[in-house]
């Protein structure tokens, strides 16, 4: 089993060797690291912007589909309500006729 201290020591030795054996000056290495960091940051910002745009498009599309489906649902509901009202009116007319037969004329 490898001890954690041995791993940390290995990392430190490797880092030190890399700095000591680097073919370029520290300022050049730092400049390269800074440029690479900026490039990575720019790429992340670009990717995030694209994802944000895609999510926005998906939300708009979903919103339009919802409006369309809701409009279709409202229309179907309106037709069904109209049918129900017509049915109730017919039943009321039948009840009204039956009620007339029970009334006595004086």
């Amino acid at each position: 089993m490898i001890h954690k201290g041995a791993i940390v020591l290995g990392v430190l030795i490797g880092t030190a060797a890399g700095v000591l054996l680097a073919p370029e000056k520290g300022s050049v290495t730092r400049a390269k690291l800074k440029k690479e960091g900026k490039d990575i940051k720019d790429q992340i910002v670009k990717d995030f912007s694209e994802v944000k745009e895609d999510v926005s498009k998906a939300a708009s599309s979903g919103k339009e589909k919802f409006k369309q489906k809701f409009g279709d649902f409202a229309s179907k509901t309106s037709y069904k309500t109209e049918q129900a009202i017509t049915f109730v009116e017919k039943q009321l007319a039948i009840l009204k006729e039956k009620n007339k037969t029970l009334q006595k004329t004086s």
Side-chain angles (χ1 to χ4, degrees), residues 82-96:
E82 187 69 32
Q83 289 174 350
I85 290 170
T86 300
F87 175 77
V88 170
E89 288 173 339
K90 288 179 182 177
Q91 295 304 313
L92 285 173
I94 292 168
L95 286 173
K96 191 172 184 179

Side-chain angles (χ1 to χ4, degrees), residues 22-47:
E24 299 173 332
K25 292 170 51 175
S27 60
V28 174
T29 302
R30 285 191 298 277
K32 284 184 178 180
L33 289 173
K34 185 177 179 181
K35 182 186 179 311
E36 287 181 27
K38 184 183 179 311
D39 291 345
I40 290 170
K41 178 189 157 237
D42 292 345
Q43 186 63 44
I44 289 172
V45 168
K46 181 183 172 196
D47 291 346

